[in-house]
């Protein structure tokens, strides 16, 4: 391996610090000795002594981290569940806009679209979704902006829904598009995680507008921004779909 020589000392310190930030705490602990430039070169396949720019190294670092997190955590890790007494009231609202712009969706004309690697592209009306097998869970929603809150969501286990529509369960990603232009995506292991819900209710009532009427995807093993509200369409795909915040630099895996 060539010695990375072109970077100045402060460049190196910056790169190492930024690369560390792309790792979650568990991953940081795994790399006991901490990251070295040689280590970054090994993990990303980038030759730092070449003209690789720092952005490219970091984006590869982040992708590497997504794969490791997906592999290590997805199907084993269960998010903690709570009791009704733990529910946070009032439950916070958050979006990339204020409460005055919450989309008002007409449930009567709503039909959930499913696209991509699925056998059955039937569009699902709300009465059809409400008739499906429902479960509920009380879990903690964690937002990167520095707050968390416990809430109760009910709905259809997402793995059950994917099976029902004949999704290719070996595909890599499931992506979501929302009525407010928001979008996000998850890996298939997370989509099939036993706690991932196609959520139709919040606190035993039909999902209120501010919390994502008529449907949100509730993923208690993921940070808030990976939990799309007002979902209009679901796509199963092998092409990396990104997300609204993820495309602006938030870690794509976004484990909580
Ligand atoms: N459609 C849509 N979904 C979204 C968002 C958004 O702006 N639009 N914001 C995300 C973020 S960052 C958070 S923290 C949660 C907030 O969900 P809540 O309003 O139910 O607390 O929604 C997530 N899903
Ligand atoms: Mo968030």
């Amino acid at each position: 391996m060539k010695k990375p020589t072109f970077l100045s000392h402060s460049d190196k310190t910056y790169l190492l610090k930024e690369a560390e930030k792309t790792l979650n705490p568990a991953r940081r602990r795994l790399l006991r000795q901490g990251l070295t430039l040689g280590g970054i070169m090994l993990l990303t396949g980038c030759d730092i002594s070449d003209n690789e720019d720092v952005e490219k190294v970091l984006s590869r670092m982040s992708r590497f981290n997504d794969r490791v997190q997906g592999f290590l955590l997805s199907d084993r890790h269960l998010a903690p569940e709570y009791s009704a007494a733990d529910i946070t009231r009032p439950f916070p609202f958050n979006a990339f806009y204020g409460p005055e712009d919450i989309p008002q969706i007409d449930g009567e004309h709503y039909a959930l679209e499913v696209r991509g690697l699925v056998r059955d592209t039937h569009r699902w009306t709300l009465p059809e979704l409400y008739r499906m097998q429902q479960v509920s869970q009380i879990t903690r929603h964690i937002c990167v902006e520095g707050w968390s809150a416990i809430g109760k969501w009910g709905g259809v286990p997402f793995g059950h829904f994917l099976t029902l529509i004949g999704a290719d369960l070996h595909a890599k990603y499931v992506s979501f598009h929302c009525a407010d232009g928001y979008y996000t995506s998850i890996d298939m292991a997370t989509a099939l995680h036993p706690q991932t819900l196609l959520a139709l209710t919040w606190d035993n009532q039909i999902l209120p507008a501010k919390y994502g009427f008529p449907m949100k995807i509730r993923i208690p093993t993921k940070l808030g921004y990976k939990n799309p509200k007002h979902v209009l369409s679901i796509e199963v795909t092998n092409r990396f779909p990104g997300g609204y915040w993820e495309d602006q630099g938030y870690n794509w895996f976004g484990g909580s």
Side-chain angles (χ1 to χ4, degrees):
M1 190 189 293
K2 268 187 274 172
K3 238 176 118 196
T5 46
F6 88 101
L7 292 168
S8 71
H9 180 71
S10 60
D11 281 348
K12 286 183 199 166
T13 314
Y14 169 77
L15 180 58
L16 286 172
K17 259 216 245 94
E18 288 300 304
E20 285 259 3
K21 275 198 231 154
T22 69
L23 301 176
N24 76 342
R27 182 70 194 148
R28 253 177 250 143
R29 276 196 301 278
L30 266 172
L31 292 170
R32 279 176 179 229
Q33 273 79 31
L35 274 174
T36 60
L37 291 179
I40 293 176
M41 287 166 74
L42 274 176
L43 297 180
T44 60
C46 291
D47 185 344
I48 299 169
S49 62
D50 271 355
N51 298 320
E52 296 282 2
D53 62 66
V54 168
E55 286 299 310
K56 186 164 164 204
V57 172
L58 292 178
S59 97
R60 289 216 199 156
M61 210 45 220
S62 187
R63 284 299 183 83
F64 163 77
N65 194 39
D66 286 339
R67 288 203 306 275
V68 171
Q69 288 189 60
F71 172 73
L72 287 179
L73 301 173
S74 286
D75 18 55
R76 283 172 252 179
H77 170 75
L78 277 187
E81 299 203 12
Y82 299 84
S83 73
D86 300 322
I87 293 175
T88 306
R89 300 179 190 283
F91 192 85
F93 156 80
N94 194 33
F96 65 91
Y97 42 79
E100 63 287 353
D101 292 326
I102 295 168
Q104 301 300 321
I105 294 173
D106 172 8
E108 290 218 3
H109 294 107
Y110 175 82
L112 172 66
E113 193 188 340
V114 292
R115 293 187 282 140
L117 305 170
V118 298
R119 204 178 43 238
D120 181 1
T121 54
H122 167 82
R123 293 172 71 116
W124 298 84
T125 64
L126 281 178
E128 285 173 324
L129 293 174
Y130 292 147
R131 272 199 298 274
M132 292 168 70
Q133 168 204 343
Q134 317 271 320
V135 298
S136 72
Q137 68 200 7
I138 300 173
T139 53
R140 185 185 294 276
H141 171 119
I142 302 169
C143 173
V144 281
E145 287 169 41
W147 56 270
S148 82
I150 293 172
K152 179 175 185 179
W153 290 271
V156 183
F158 194 53
H160 172 82
F161 182 76
L162 287 176
T163 308
L164 197 78
I165 63 176
D168 175 0
L169 301 182
H170 297 288
K172 285 194 187 146
Y173 310 108
V174 182
S175 81
F176 306 97
H177 280 86
C178 310
D180 53 4
Y182 195 82
Y183 61 104
T184 188
S185 54
I186 54 176
D187 56 281
M188 185 57 78
T190 302
L192 298 176
H193 187 285
Q195 290 173 306
T196 299
L197 282 189
L198 186 157
L200 299 160
T201 69
W202 171 84
D203 202 26
N204 304 323
Q205 46 176 302
I206 298 232
L207 205 61
K210 58 183 170 179
Y211 303 139
F213 181 83
M215 190 275 272
K216 73 173 272 178
I217 305 294
R218 174 64 191 142
I219 312 172
T221 53
K222 294 286 183 190
L223 291 168
Y225 65 88
K226 308 286 303 179
N227 288 240
K229 305 192 286 186
H230 319 288
V231 175
L232 296 182
S233 80
I234 296 176
E235 182 177 9
V236 178
T237 177
N238 284 317
R239 253 178 309 114
F240 182 71
Y244 180 90
W245 290 117
E246 294 89 329
D247 293 350
Q248 299 176 54
Y250 282 22
N251 177 253
W252 180 77
F253 191 82
S256 68

